[in-house]
Amino acid sequence: MRYAYYPGCSYHGTGKEYESSTHAVAKKLGMELVEIPDWSCCGATAAHGKSHLLNISLPARNLAIAEDMGIMDVTTGCAACYQQLAHANKRMTENKETREKVNKITGKEYKGTLKVKSLVEAIGTIDPELLKAQVVKPLSDLKVAAYYGCLLVRPPEITGFDDPENPMFMDNMMKLAGAQALDWAHKTECCGASLGVSNLDVAVRMINRILKAAVESGADCVVVACPFCHLNLDWHQKSVNKQLGTTYEMPVFYFTELLGLAMGISPDELGLKTHFTDTQKVLSLVG
Amino acid sequence: MELINLNQSIAKNAHFIEEIGIESGQPVQKCYQCGKCTAGCPVAFAMDYTPNQVIRMVQLGMKEDLLKSKTIWICASCSTCSTRCPCNVEIAHVMETLRIMAGRSGTAPAGKAKYVEVMYNALLSTVEKYGRTYEVGLVLQNNLKSGKLFNGAEMGLPMFQKGKLKLSPSKVKGAAEVARIFSEVRKMEGGV
């Protein structure tokens, strides 16, 4: 499997563990991730509030470059980037007028031949037996709350690969890795995304609900597929504790980190030491 | 909210109602106020008008109240409402359309709404300059413009220690192409 890979702006910053664990897991699974040359920002999460055209044109530049690579599928780990690329792709393939207008803006010709897949879909559609064959250290006894958030599964007209209310892709992957995926209530509740930057007092209330539900479900950790969700649930867990008087100590992992652990990849290579909420509790559980 | 004369409001703002329908592409007139959008909205607690009220206000042509409302900025665009609407109105997209219209009309958001707009501008200005989001530049500009100087300041050191803070922006080779996208959109639409 060959993918044109879009890392997204957080790849060497706040989301760097996602980046390193993605590459480590992809290698094990025989997925080839070819970085889109000179990719640029997709506009998340700001362009949508400023201009419809800008919101399509920023991701469109990347689609046009990717199309020239001669690879059919584009993938990205970040849920916000995925949403932006998939949205622009849909608008440009469905409507010739939009496509021509946007191509004029970007100065690049996108013909509309690509498929955009989230990393969750790309890995989640691999033959389960193939994935299972790579699991050398099953995450036995680990109870995980798979958290999808919003942009990965909504709106279904754009995303469409999983159920928008009760998605199961990550749950199924966690089961293949030997973990117990819990049935819990806040799988798709929004974490507030960039409200964590602009209005933290609002975001902490949203984050609190998710962490509370995860604790009540009996989870050892939360599993995510988006750098923004990770930043809010991991780093801002401290802000929630401070502002609302809670005492959360809930480790938050990217799904690729847990898959990587089950595949015997070292915690250092996966980037497990750079989380803000201590991961040791879970690491000792899975040996 | 003051008492309003519906006939007058609708007559006066007929153009606005039509414009929202066309620009958002959403069948706003179909909404029958079931309230499902508001029931599931994770950020309704911080809004001045709830999502179902916003759609009703669109139907009633309450342009000014809508364009200066906090709701259209505080909406997190999570699309829970859009996914659940029995009339297939993508409410989150209507919110975005209102936000864009507010920007175009020069309606200045205040308070929490202003903080959202400031963040948008801070992020996009780093993209226009470097071609990618520059997280440090974004936060600095965000804090200067919002007046919340020490917002996230406690994040700096731990982020740096974990190697998650890149102090210099990574500029793409085609930064000029990205800047061109901004200028072309401005030419077509005015503003941004």
Side-chain angles (χ1 to χ4, degrees):
Chain A
M1 292 150 292
R2 240 173 140 229
Y3 285 94
Y5 177 65
Y6 181 82
C9 297
S10 69
Y11 79 115
H12 59 190
T14 49
K16 67 174 195 168
E17 309 96 340
Y18 199 12
E19 181 70 5
S20 48
S21 57
T22 293
H23 286 291
V25 166
K27 204 171 144 196
K28 286 268 181 197
L29 293 171
M31 278 172 81
E32 199 187 340
L33 302 177
V34 189
E35 188 167 318
I36 299 173
D38 206 42
W39 57 271
S40 50
C41 176
C42 67
T45 56
H48 67 99
K50 298 299 278 186
S51 150
H52 297 307
L53 269 180
L54 184 69
N55 195 40
I56 300 176
S57 303
L58 286 174
R61 175 180 181 272
N62 300 294
L63 292 174
I65 300 174
E67 199 171 50
D68 283 343
M69 294 165 74
I71 304 174
M72 294 299 291
D73 297 308
V74 178
T75 194
T76 179
C78 173
C81 300
Y82 161 63
Q83 170 85 204
Q84 283 294 95
L85 292 168
H87 173 259
N89 195 37
K90 187 171 163 70
R91 296 282 170 264
M92 289 180 80
T93 46
E94 272 181 3
N95 189 318
K96 189 166 170 253
E97 201 185 314
T98 304
R99 187 168 66 243
E100 283 169 356
K101 206 172 189 179
V102 171
N103 283 343
K104 209 173 143 210
I105 291 170
T106 60
K108 291 188 184 296
E109 173 77 15
Y110 178 55
K111 297 181 201 75
T113 59
L114 295 173
K115 255 192 174 160
V116 179
K117 289 182 181 173
S118 81
L119 190 68
V120 169
E121 183 183 5
I123 299 182
T125 47
I126 287 177
D127 178 2
E129 292 307 317
L130 200 108
L131 204 150
K132 232 168 146 181
Q134 292 298 327
V135 174
V136 293
K137 279 174 72 181
L139 309 172
S140 308
D141 303 326
L142 187 67
K143 287 181 278 192
V144 308
Y147 173 71
Y148 298 76
C150 22
L151 301 175
L152 197 58
V153 292
R154 286 194 302 264
E157 292 76 28
I158 303 295
T159 58
F161 69 95
D162 208 342
D163 188 306
E165 298 285 359
N166 187 26
M168 287 302 289
F169 264 63
M170 275 201 282
D171 293 68
N172 292 337
M173 284 189 267
M174 289 301 112
K175 284 181 203 160
L176 289 172
Q180 188 187 339
L182 300 169
D183 193 11
W184 69 303
H186 283 55
K187 272 184 166 182
T188 60
E189 282 288 308
C190 176
C191 72
S194 60
L195 285 171
V197 180
S198 62
N199 288 285
L200 186 58
D201 56 330
V202 175
V204 291
R205 291 182 60 177
M206 301 167 82
I207 299 164
N208 175 46
R209 287 189 201 138
I210 296 160
L211 292 172
K212 185 166 180 276
V215 169
E216 282 170 358
S217 73
D220 298 313
C221 61
V222 174
V223 186
V224 301
C226 170
F228 238 132
C229 301
H230 194 269
L231 186 72
N232 278 351
L233 295 177
D234 179 45
W235 166 261
H236 278 313
Q237 202 167 130
K238 207 191 289 180
S239 312
V240 175
N241 286 341
K242 202 170 147 192
Q243 292 194 23
L244 304 179
T246 49
T247 53
Y248 296 118
E249 285 176 34
M250 177 64 76
V252 184
F253 293 94
Y254 291 105
F255 77 102
T256 43
E257 291 178 312
L258 288 188
L259 285 180
L261 272 181
M263 291 173 180
I265 304 167
S266 79
D268 278 346
E269 192 183 338
L270 294 169
L272 294 177
K273 304 281 170 66
T274 48
H275 288 208
F276 292 107
T277 305
D278 195 8
T279 53
Q280 202 49 48
K281 198 171 70 180
V282 167
L283 295 184
S284 56
L285 260 180
V286 300
Chain B
M1 200 183 293
E2 292 166 30
L3 214 58
I4 58 158
N5 183 317
L6 296 184
N7 291 337
Q8 279 175 10
S9 175
I10 293 172
K12 191 178 140 205
N13 292 302
H15 177 66
F16 166 74
I17 302 169
E18 199 188 317
E19 202 183 339
I20 286 281
I22 292 170
E23 195 168 327
S24 70
Q26 298 307 309
V28 280
Q29 70 282 359
K30 281 191 181 167
C31 169
Y32 46 64
Q33 291 293 304
C34 73
K36 208 171 178 178
C37 48
T38 300
C41 176
V43 68
F45 68 88
M47 292 173 167
D48 43 6
Y49 303 112
T50 58
N52 67 306
Q53 282 177 327
V54 165
I55 300 301
R56 188 74 182 126
M57 287 164 79
V58 170
Q59 291 173 337
L60 299 177
M62 296 169 70
K63 181 178 177 180
E64 279 170 32
D65 295 280
L66 280 170
L67 295 191
K68 62 181 189 206
S69 78
K70 202 162 70 175
T71 297
I72 61 172
W73 293 94
I74 213 81
C75 160
S77 301
C78 78
S79 290
T80 303
C81 50
S82 309
T83 305
R84 295 179 183 171
C85 176
C87 300
N88 296 319
V89 178
E90 278 194 37
I91 298 139
H93 192 54
V94 175
M95 296 279 191
E96 269 168 26
T97 305
L98 285 163
R99 208 176 303 170
I100 290 167
M101 279 178 143
R104 238 174 10 221
S105 72
T107 310
K112 287 191 187 317
K114 181 187 157 194
Y115 297 147
V116 175
E117 194 201 28
V118 164
M119 198 283 294
Y120 285 169
N121 291 340
L123 190 151
L124 290 174
S125 76
T126 69
V127 176
E128 187 168 4
K129 203 164 167 190
Y130 306 113
R132 284 183 195 160
T133 307
Y134 170 41
E135 289 171 335
V136 175
L138 186 169
V139 171
L140 289 178
Q141 194 182 329
N142 181 69
N143 291 4
L144 272 176
K145 297 273 170 66
S146 64
K148 296 193 285 188
L149 284 184
F150 299 104
N151 177 40
E154 76 285 2
M155 285 176 95
L157 188 60
M159 282 273 177
F160 184 66
Q161 286 167 334
K162 303 264 184 195
K164 290 186 168 186
L165 206 65
K166 209 162 167 284
L167 294 176
S168 57
S170 78
K171 192 167 179 170
V172 306
K173 285 192 216 108
E177 290 175 13
V178 180
R180 174 204 145 103
I181 292 176
F182 281 84
S183 62
E184 287 295 314
V185 170
R186 266 187 210 110
K187 251 190 264 169
M188 274 188 202
E189 292 183 338
V192 181

